[in-house]
Amino acid sequence: MSSWKRDMASGLVVLVPIIVTIWVVYWLFRFIANLPLTETIANPALRVGITLAVFVLMVFAVGYLMRTAIGSLVEAGIDNAMNRLPGLRVVYNASKMAIETALTGTNELQTPVKLETWDGIRMTAFKTGRESPDGRKLLFLPTAPNITSGFVIEVEQEDIVETDENVEEALTRILSAGFGERNDEQVTGVPIDVIEERREETPDDRPATD
């Protein structure tokens, strides 16, 4: 990749997420400010503040209810009702899985490890901190890009390959279907075109080192 293309790509990687984030925040501000709940208040900032305060209070109230036996029954009833609606159940379950993963997923997942599932093929799994009755380690092997599905597998300790990754790095790779994997330039600091040239060299062509 030429230098100007690499510079352009690097700039877009930094700027596009910032622009998208600012646009989403602006859209949410306008949306909340125009809710009927506070339409009689002239100041938009005050309308947003009151709406957010009401929403936070509602979140805590529902959260407290969910910790009771009645709350569990209510949640189960809502899940059953939504799962009976074709089309909408996909949106409901996807949003519920996304928020559960964002709020609790990375806390529940422990150290990421590699596992050779087939000859020469390694997959990313996560330790659960549990063991099977015969002493094997229980791992969670997620699917990509949906990490809310996967397999719970029992593996001997010697078959687990430890890594120096953290949970966020491993999840980024899985959620992005591999496109979020760090490349050689990010890891080594050496430009990709230089690395590719070195890879194309045969052992005889490479300069001798002392």
Side-chain angles (χ1 to χ4, degrees):
M1 182 183 292
S2 60
S3 176
W4 72 269
K5 288 182 179 180
R6 186 167 61 249
D7 291 343
M8 181 178 178
S10 299
L12 288 174
V13 167
V14 173
L15 290 178
V16 170
I18 295 175
I19 294 172
V20 171
T21 302
I22 293 174
W23 183 85
V24 169
V25 170
Y26 173 75
W27 182 87
L28 285 174
F29 180 89
R30 292 290 302 273
F31 175 77
I32 295 173
N34 292 321
L35 288 175
L37 177 67
T38 55
E39 59 183 2
T40 57
I41 301 175
N43 190 332
L46 184 58
R47 290 205 301 267
V48 171
I50 293 175
T51 304
L52 289 178
V54 172
F55 178 74
V56 170
L57 290 174
M58 184 174 66
V59 168
F60 278 103
V62 173
Y64 177 79
L65 176 65
M66 289 300 105
R67 291 194 287 113
T68 65
I70 296 177
S72 300
L73 294 175
V74 170
E75 184 179 13
I78 294 174
D79 288 345
N80 289 333
M82 294 302 296
N83 285 323
R84 294 177 183 273
L85 301 176
L88 289 179
R89 65 182 180 186
V90 177
V91 178
Y92 175 79
N93 289 322
S95 58
K96 185 173 183 178
M97 289 179 180
I99 194 65
E100 285 177 349
T101 301
L103 295 178
T104 63
T106 56
N107 292 330
E108 293 176 355
L109 295 176
Q110 297 190 7
T111 310
V113 295
K114 300 287 188 180
L115 190 66
E116 187 165 337
T117 52
W118 295 281
D119 241 0
I121 298 178
R122 294 196 306 181
M123 299 182 72
T124 300
F126 295 89
K127 292 182 178 179
T128 64
R130 305 287 193 274
E131 292 186 356
S132 63
D134 60 356
R136 296 189 182 194
K137 304 298 181 182
L138 288 181
L139 304 181
F140 174 62
L141 183 66
T143 55
N146 179 15
I147 64 170
T148 59
S149 63
F151 306 92
V152 177
I153 53 180
E154 302 176 5
V155 184
E156 296 286 357
Q157 178 62 46
E158 56 267 23
D159 295 329
I160 298 174
V161 180
E162 303 286 346
T163 70
D164 58 354
E165 279 187 318
N166 57 40
V167 173
E168 286 73 19
E169 290 173 337
L171 285 179
T172 298
R173 179 175 60 256
I174 297 171
L175 288 169
S176 65
F179 293 99
E181 178 69 292
R182 295 180 302 172
N183 56 39
D184 292 331
E185 182 175 3
Q186 291 173 316
V187 176
T188 65
V190 181
I192 295 177
D193 50 356
V194 174
I195 294 175
E196 291 177 348
E197 290 176 3
R198 292 177 180 176
R199 286 175 177 170
E200 292 173 357
E201 293 178 353
T202 62
D204 294 336
D205 294 333
R206 295 175 183 169
T209 56
D210 296 332

